[in-house]
Amino acid sequence: VADSGNRLNLQYSENTLTFTFAGISLRDEGNLNYRYVLRGVDADWHILPHRLPVTYAALRPGKYVFEVKAVNAEGLESIRPARLSFVIVPPFWRTWWFALSATIFLLSAVYLSIRIKVRRLLEIERVRARIATDLHDYIGSGLTRIAILADVAVRQSEERPLRTNGFSASDEGFSARGLMERIGSNARELVDSMSDVVWSIDPHNATLGDLIVRFRTFA
């Protein structure tokens, strides 16, 4: 049995192979036995009493070497086994370059999704900060001016008797001073309420510690 230097490259679907071989003996050729092994599958040599085809089915992608020896009736083996090397090429989705490309694509997708999410969160934070600033600058300052003007009006007003639908100036809430005081009180309540709104949407007040401090202040 002579060596074979051929090497086959097979596709992943060509994974069922049948090996046929024949030994040459000048004496009593009919009593030849064979020993064979497929490197990459078999752990040891197999004995074949006759020249029969050897079939391997569903081989995995990889490198293999099939070796076979002839053994005569006296137990003498071939000096060197016949060898056939072949490679079953894996499908593209099981190659290293596909795995690397898929990993890079997956990491890129995760990175882009994180960037998009962070960008949206930053935009929301900017909107919240802008709303808080606008509320504080415009509405809060306007209500504060109302409260201050009401306080000034209370100090400068004269307590003049007013009669409205039978009510006298002594009736509670119908004097000029009483009305001004109510205006100032309502304005201050609006300022406090607006302060609560500003605090709730301010991104700097998003921790548990800030909430506890707010509770203590309210209490």
Side-chain angles (χ1 to χ4, degrees):
V1 181
D3 290 339
S4 175
N6 297 329
R7 178 174 176 176
L8 300 178
N9 290 323
L10 305 176
Q11 299 299 318
Y12 67 93
S13 59
E14 301 172 331
N15 58 354
T16 299
L17 285 79
T18 298
F19 300 92
T20 57
F21 41 83
I24 299 175
S25 176
L26 300 179
R27 183 175 58 183
D28 199 10
E29 184 176 354
N31 289 328
L32 286 178
N33 295 326
Y34 299 92
R35 297 181 64 194
Y36 68 92
V37 64
L38 181 60
R39 306 293 182 185
V41 175
D42 299 327
D44 202 356
W45 291 82
H46 299 281
I47 298 176
L48 190 66
H50 301 287
R51 189 183 67 185
L52 297 175
V54 177
T55 300
Y56 287 89
L59 294 175
R60 296 178 178 273
K63 297 180 180 180
Y64 299 92
V65 178
F66 181 78
E67 298 182 359
V68 61
K69 296 180 181 179
V71 183
N72 62 16
E74 299 175 356
L76 297 177
E77 298 181 353
S78 304
I79 299 176
R80 291 186 302 170
R83 293 183 177 89
L84 178 63
S85 301
F86 62 95
V87 177
I88 298 179
V89 180
F92 72 91
W93 60 84
R94 294 183 58 183
T95 56
W96 65 268
W97 57 265
F98 180 82
L100 180 62
S101 301
T103 302
I104 294 175
F105 176 79
L106 181 61
L107 293 177
S108 300
V110 172
Y111 173 74
L112 289 177
S113 63
I114 292 175
R115 283 200 59 182
I116 292 173
K117 185 176 182 179
V118 171
R119 184 179 300 174
R120 289 179 178 175
L121 291 176
L122 291 176
E123 290 177 356
I124 293 174
E125 293 298 317
R126 283 194 291 266
V127 170
R128 292 177 62 184
R130 185 172 63 251
I131 293 174
T133 302
D134 292 343
L135 289 175
H136 181 270
D137 291 345
Y138 297 102
I139 301 178
S141 61
L143 293 176
T144 303
R145 285 196 299 270
I146 293 175
I148 294 174
L149 291 175
D151 291 338
V152 172
V154 168
R155 294 193 184 97
Q156 294 180 353
S157 64
E158 296 180 358
E159 295 185 2
R160 297 179 180 177
L162 294 179
R163 293 187 177 273
T164 305
N165 295 330
F167 293 97
S168 64
S170 61
D171 294 326
E172 183 179 358
F174 282 92
S175 64
R177 184 181 184 85
L179 293 174
M180 292 298 180
E181 288 178 350
R182 292 177 63 182
I183 292 174
S185 178
N186 292 334
R188 280 187 287 272
E189 289 178 0
L190 289 175
V191 171
D192 293 337
S193 299
M194 192 58 60
S195 177
D196 293 336
V197 174
V198 172
W199 183 91
S200 64
I201 65 175
D202 192 347
H204 297 93
N205 299 325
T207 64
L208 180 60
D210 296 327
L211 182 60
I212 294 175
V213 171
R214 191 67 178 178
F215 283 160
R216 293 179 61 184
T217 303
F218 179 78

